[in-house]
Amino acid sequence: MSAIVNRWCAVGLVVGVDVGGTATKAVLVDGDRVLAHASKPTPKPGPDVVPEVVDLVADLVAELDPAGTADVGVVVPGIVDEARGVAVWSENLGWLDVPFAALLTDRLGRATGFGHDVRAGGLAESTAGGGRGARDSLFLPIGTGIAAALVLGGRVHDAGGYAGEIGHVDVGHGEPCACGRHGCLEAIASASAIARRYAARTGTPTEAVDVARLLAEQDADARRVWDDAVQALAVALAWTASVLAPEVVVVGGGLSAAGDLLLRPLDEALRERLTFQRRPRLVAAELGGLAGCRGAALLAAKRSASC
């Protein structure tokens, strides 16, 4: 991916779409201004999920750009090969080797920028969010799953689509993961894992945001589940700091809404695990849940103009 610049591409209207594990979000932007946004539930995994997702993207684009004049960028989760326009694999959405760029271009009737959701979010946060001004940064959205975007030397590092899978490193617990292994960071520290583990302890179905609220109310089960997640995140960030030495870690995704309930203990746990290594600043993402969408818009803009 091309070097990041600290400004948005001025190429007129752009629609950016972020296909998430539970919701698909889209924005209509003009430069750095968000003019409109929309969201719809992402189809559940199944034999028809790919055409359903393509149709959903087309519906959102038509809703935001009925005149059909905007450039379009779309980002998806999993392993993504941007150069070929292929979604190589997604465990959460159940697809394998899908030529999404070609399918979207055919369905939308116009060339479509295509990329990875987290790397696009990292691009957006590095350009105009919590990571701006840093040469080396890590974007860490914590939501249905956990992945990371690496910005090294001012460039988004993709390694053919395989970089950033921090959610599937073993952080030393016994929980099973959807990838088929045990001990993965995602299986204990994602928002969905926090909700699942709290429900397993208490018998009360809930969401991660509710666990954060209960934590503030001194709920013992919420404290245990939250502490497990924080320690697992600290393990992953400690080796990341040792190997890559990012200046800043931008924490995004739904769990970032917990603010200091997450960032403060995570910073303390990370401090305890580092000695001479550069300790990254931990900051909340500034673009919120629209980081992926805005990154998708950047991809479309970069496709249409030299920035």
Side-chain angles (χ1 to χ4, degrees):
M1 192 172 288
S2 59
I4 294 173
V5 291
N6 291 317
R7 59 186 176 85
W8 295 81
C9 306
V11 295
L13 296 178
V14 181
V15 176
V17 184
D18 178 9
V19 179
T22 56
T24 296
K25 295 172 283 189
V27 294
L28 176 68
V29 301
D30 183 2
D32 62 353
R33 294 182 300 127
V34 177
L35 304 180
H37 60 86
S39 177
K40 293 183 179 180
T42 301
K44 298 295 184 183
D48 297 322
V49 70
V50 170
E52 288 179 357
V53 167
V54 172
D55 287 345
L56 174 60
V57 169
D59 290 344
L60 286 170
V61 171
E63 179 178 336
L64 295 177
D65 179 39
T69 59
D71 292 309
V72 178
V74 179
V75 296
V76 300
I79 304 298
V80 176
D81 186 336
E82 284 97 341
R84 294 191 298 131
V86 173
V88 177
W89 175 73
S90 172
E91 176 66 34
N92 290 334
L93 288 172
W95 57 50
L96 180 69
D97 290 327
V98 178
F100 260 111
L103 292 173
L104 290 165
T105 296
D106 180 67
R107 178 69 173 80
L108 296 172
R110 55 187 130 168
T112 304
F114 179 72
H116 183 259
D117 58 347
V118 176
R119 287 194 289 276
L123 175 64
E125 287 288 346
S126 294
T127 302
R132 63 184 175 276
R135 180 173 172 81
D136 301 307
S137 65
L138 181 79
F139 176 53
L140 184 69
I142 306 173
T144 305
I146 300 178
L150 306 171
V151 178
L152 304 175
R155 301 178 68 90
V156 178
H157 178 67
D158 63 4
Y162 287 89
E165 290 297 330
I166 195 173
H168 295 285
V169 297
D170 190 338
V171 292
H173 63 85
E175 296 279 351
C177 182
C179 74
R181 298 182 65 86
H182 289 72
C184 292
L185 176 65
E186 184 173 295
I188 195 170
S190 66
S192 55
I194 288 171
R196 172 179 52 77
R197 297 186 75 238
Y198 183 83
R201 290 180 65 88
T202 66
T204 303
T206 189
E207 301 293 334
V209 65
D210 297 316
V211 177
R213 176 181 55 78
L214 291 166
L215 176 71
E217 297 173 1
Q218 307 303 314
D219 182 285
D221 291 304
R223 169 60 64 188
R224 177 60 185 273
V225 169
W226 198 265
D227 285 350
D228 287 347
V230 166
Q231 291 301 320
L233 287 166
V235 169
L237 289 179
W239 62 253
T240 301
S242 297
V243 175
L244 300 172
E247 300 163 58
V248 59
V249 173
V250 181
V251 181
L255 213 60
S256 66
D260 283 345
L261 284 174
L262 174 64
L263 295 181
R264 185 173 296 145
L266 180 56
D267 185 59
E268 293 172 357
L270 182 57
R271 186 196 307 269
E272 293 174 357
R273 293 180 178 276
L274 299 178
T275 53
F276 63 88
Q277 302 95 330
R278 175 163 68 182
R279 183 165 60 90
R281 292 183 294 111
L282 303 184
V283 301
E286 294 183 8
L287 302 180
L290 298 182
C293 298
R294 296 184 70 173
L298 271 178
L299 294 179
K302 285 176 177 291
R303 190 183 188 283
S304 300
S306 176
C307 306

